[in-house]
């Protein structure tokens, strides 16, 4: 009972931090970057951080911890597999749209693509994410997938999922001034001359780190993992043996 209460406390904190991440990154681009458009202009670039933080961090993190929610343990896992896959697909679509936004902007202003560490880490993350989603679709949702293959794939799938999430966090936090769009109008002002914007962006970074730590904390706590058939009885036997000895 106490373990479940601790989980739901962390889960609520996770949801609050995720919502704040989306609100902060959206407000940042509306208040200081001029808003949004889809016309290969600077305003189209503003979609990139919003879509990436929303999709690759917040939605992905929530999909990763879905199986840890005790409410789902008493229900058919197949239904939650579909929810898990749908959340990750939504995350992947938003991430691809975020890449389209920045590539279109670069093309419109003849700016080279993939010239920064941020872009290298980001594109590798999305490529790995795509491969992970397709492999999960074939391995866990396909009725033709052998049980032995699923057992072999499960630990790899879980490890890759955490690795991709960590890469997503690293990509968001590796943004430097070199990764920002260069000045394209006379109204552009250097980032260093915006103390309010700089402080706000730093707070956004702290929120992303906090969200990531809570998600990783939930994933690393084995007491909050969903037990497969047969695992519950073996765990009880281990606990009884430890008490008796």
């Amino acid at each position: 009972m106490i373990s479940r209460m601790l989980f739901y406390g962390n889960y609520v904190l996770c949801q609050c931090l995720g919502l704040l991440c989306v609100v902060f990154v959206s407000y940042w681009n509306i208040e200081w970057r001029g808003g949004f458009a889809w016309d290969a202009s600077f305003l189209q670039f503003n979609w990139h951080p919003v879509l990436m933080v929303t999709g690759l961090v917040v939605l992905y993190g929530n999909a990763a911890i879905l199986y840890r929610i005790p409410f789902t343990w008493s229900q058919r896992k197949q239904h939650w597999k579909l929810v898990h896959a749908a959340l990750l697909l939504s995350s992947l679509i938003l991430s691809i749209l975020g890449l389209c936004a920045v590539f279109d902007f670069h093309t419109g202003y003849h700016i080279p693509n993939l010239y920064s560490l941020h872009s290298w880490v980001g594109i590798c993350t999305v490529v790995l994410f795509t491969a992970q989603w397709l492999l999960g679709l074939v391995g866990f949702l396909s009725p033709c997938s052998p049980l032995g293959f699923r057992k072999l794939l499960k630990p790899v799938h879980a490890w890759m999922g955490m690795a991709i999430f960590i890469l997503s966090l690293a990509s968001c936090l590796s943004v430097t001034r070199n990764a920002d769009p260069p000045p394209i109008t006379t109204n552009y002002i250097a980032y260093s001359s915006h103390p309010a914007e700089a402080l706000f962006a730093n707070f956004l970074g702290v929120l992303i780190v906090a969200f990531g730590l809570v998600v990783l904390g939930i994933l690393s706590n084995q007491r909050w993992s969903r037990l497969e058939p047969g695992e519950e009885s073996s765990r009880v036997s281990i606990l009884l043996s430890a008490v008796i000895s």
Side-chain angles (χ1 to χ4, degrees):
M1 184 63 181
I2 295 177
S3 179
R4 291 198 176 196
M5 290 175 63
L6 286 173
F7 170 82
Y8 280 115
N10 281 273
Y11 185 74
V12 170
L13 177 61
C14 178
Q15 299 308 307
C16 292
L17 289 171
L19 179 61
L20 284 174
C21 286
V22 175
V23 171
F24 266 57
V25 72
S26 300
Y27 184 81
W28 176 30
N29 284 279
I30 293 171
E31 179 67 18
W32 285 286
R33 299 302 177 100
F36 305 98
W38 200 274
D39 54 5
S41 69
F42 180 83
L43 298 182
Q44 179 169 333
F45 178 89
N46 292 343
W47 280 112
H48 177 68
V50 174
L51 292 171
M52 288 310 204
V53 170
T54 303
L56 209 52
V57 175
V58 178
L59 266 180
Y60 189 98
N62 276 281
I65 63 175
L66 181 68
Y67 293 130
R68 303 299 175 119
I69 304 174
F71 168 76
T72 67
W73 296 351
S74 60
Q75 302 179 27
R76 288 190 60 190
K77 190 174 182 179
Q78 186 66 22
H79 295 159
W80 293 103
K81 281 184 180 180
L82 295 173
V83 175
H84 178 72
L87 283 174
L88 288 174
L89 180 59
S90 301
S91 170
L92 182 59
I93 290 172
L94 291 181
S95 303
I96 292 172
L97 287 174
L99 291 180
C100 291
V102 69
F103 285 149
D104 283 354
F105 167 77
H106 283 179
T107 301
Y109 288 93
H110 307 290
I111 302 170
N113 291 310
L114 304 175
Y115 60 86
S116 65
L117 174 64
H118 166 73
S119 60
W120 289 12
V121 175
I123 199 70
C124 288
T125 304
V126 175
V127 169
L128 287 174
F129 184 12
T130 304
Q132 166 87 338
W133 191 88
L134 291 173
L135 189 59
L137 179 67
V138 173
F140 297 112
L141 290 179
S142 172
C144 302
S145 176
L147 182 60
F149 176 67
R150 295 187 184 190
K151 288 183 177 179
L152 289 174
L153 181 60
K154 184 179 177 180
V156 177
H157 186 76
W159 182 86
M160 278 296 296
M162 289 186 67
I164 291 168
F165 183 66
I166 292 171
L167 286 173
S168 302
L169 298 174
S171 179
C172 289
L173 297 173
S174 67
V175 180
T176 64
R177 187 169 181 268
N178 290 332
D180 290 336
I184 56 174
T185 70
T186 56
N187 295 326
Y188 181 85
I189 303 175
Y191 180 85
S192 59
S193 66
H194 282 295
E197 181 185 3
L199 186 63
F200 193 88
N202 287 344
F203 272 116
L204 171 60
V206 171
L207 286 172
I208 291 173
V209 170
F211 176 81
L213 289 176
V214 174
V215 169
L216 293 174
I218 291 174
L219 292 175
S220 63
N221 193 328
Q222 295 304 312
R223 292 177 300 173
W224 297 336
S225 60
R226 180 187 178 114
L227 297 178
E228 300 297 336
E231 289 184 358
E232 186 171 1
S233 57
S234 63
R235 181 177 294 187
V236 171
S237 300
I238 292 172
L239 290 174
L240 288 174
S241 299
V243 170
I244 293 172
S245 60

